[in-house]
Amino acid sequence: MDPFIPVPRALRPWAAAGVLLAAVFAVWMFFFPQYIPSRFAWVVEPRLAQAFIGAGYVFRTLFFLQFLFVRNWLHIRWTFWGNMAFTGTLLLATLWHADEMNWRFLLAHLWIVFYTFEPITMIFSVPWTEEARRARLTTGGPILPWFRRFIILVVGVFMLFGLMLIINPEWLDLRWAWDLNGFDARIIAAWFLGWAVWAGSIGFAHDWDEVRLAGVLAIVWGVAVCLTLFFFRAEFDFGRAPTKGYAGIAILFTLLFAFFFWRQEARRKRNKTSEVSETSEV
């Protein structure tokens, strides 16, 4: 039987707040762009930047829901280091561009408070016991070799883009699918650096069941970004090479993650069938 480490109750209020904020941000970015300049934490522009951030907050909504409904910490332990990278990048971008925040509105203050205390809440709330650190799941099977190779590629590509968005967004502006400004570029970098680390967590996992939900959320994020290619197609210039490259990476990332998820699930079912057979024989 797999070990059980309960998800700390202290994480639930933070997760509930995260679900609410992420869902509101996603809806706001997709459907109410006219209120972004005058009401959001900063002026997000152009429309395609809003679409990307909206897709990112679709993923974040489901990310926070895990902490409300999953009971075994070992199933969501993968979230920790990636969330440190994600929230750290958002906080860095916010402080870097503090003069561009809409401080006259409450949301700007909520934004910086939430992304300051989200990583602190995780650090002080997650189980740090020796038992929690050493516990391993065994029912999902190991990460497939080709999946691990794909993960290495994802880590490298996403880390490269994330760091470039932070360090030199002006240079990347001519090589991106839409016009970039420094603030939005560094905010967008959070999803790339967060997923570089979350993907690395998949690659280092001892068992598929430890990171199965990471696979689900990678597909969710990829599908959300791909859907922006369809619903916001009038905003894209598909004649530009950067747009084609962006679309190609988004679609390839999503399809390959879905393929490897399917392969891992097939291996998982075989493992469970074998366990049942062995138990019956005993």
Side-chain angles (χ1 to χ4, degrees), residues 50-129:
Q50 299 167 5
F52 180 91
I53 293 172
Y57 276 109
V58 170
F59 150 71
R60 288 290 285 176
T61 302
L62 297 181
F63 177 89
F64 285 116
L65 282 172
Q66 297 176 105
F67 295 87
L68 296 177
F69 293 104
V70 174
R71 292 292 174 259
N72 191 346
W73 168 250
L74 301 181
H75 289 139
I76 56 175
R77 181 169 52 184
W78 64 272
T79 60
F80 182 80
W81 292 111
N83 211 44
M84 293 299 106
F86 178 85
T87 54
T89 304
L90 284 186
L91 185 58
L92 172 67
T94 302
L95 297 176
W96 195 321
H97 297 273
D99 58 323
E100 299 175 47
M101 293 284 285
N102 287 329
W103 293 114
R104 63 187 181 279
F105 298 119
L106 176 62
L107 187 56
H109 298 272
L110 291 176
W111 174 276
I112 196 168
V113 167
F114 189 80
Y115 285 114
T116 297
F117 285 94
E118 179 179 345
I120 293 172
T121 299
M122 284 202 77
I123 290 169
F124 281 94
S125 300
V126 302
W128 290 110
T129 64

Side-chain angles (χ1 to χ4, degrees), residues 28 57 98 120 123 130 133 148-149 154 160 203 240 255 280:
W28 199 336
Y57 276 109
I120 293 172
I123 290 169
E130 188 69 13
R133 190 176 67 84
R148 198 181 300 274
R149 294 184 183 103
V154 169
L160 176 63
R240 298 177 66 230
L255 291 177
S280 300

Side-chain angles (χ1 to χ4, degrees), residues 172-241:
L172 196 59
D173 182 30
L174 299 176
R175 298 158 181 84
W176 200 252
W178 60 84
D179 293 335
L180 287 173
N181 61 72
F183 197 172
D184 289 340
R186 292 181 177 104
I187 290 291
I188 289 169
W191 277 272
F192 285 91
L193 292 178
W195 265 111
V197 180
W198 283 318
S201 300
I202 296 175
F204 280 111
H206 293 82
D207 187 84
W208 170 239
D209 275 355
E210 295 178 6
V211 291
R212 189 170 175 236
L213 287 172
V216 172
L217 291 182
I219 296 169
V220 166
W221 184 49
V223 168
V225 171
C226 288
L227 286 175
T228 66
L229 294 169
F230 176 77
F231 287 107
F232 295 87
R233 61 189 179 276
E235 302 284 341
F236 283 102
D237 180 1
F238 286 99
R240 298 177 66 230

Side-chain angles (χ1 to χ4, degrees), residues 151-168:
I151 287 298
I152 293 171
L153 177 64
V154 169
V155 171
V157 171
F158 280 23
M159 182 181 68
L160 176 63
F161 277 115
L163 292 175
M164 213 178 300
L165 284 162
I166 291 174
I167 296 169
N168 201 345

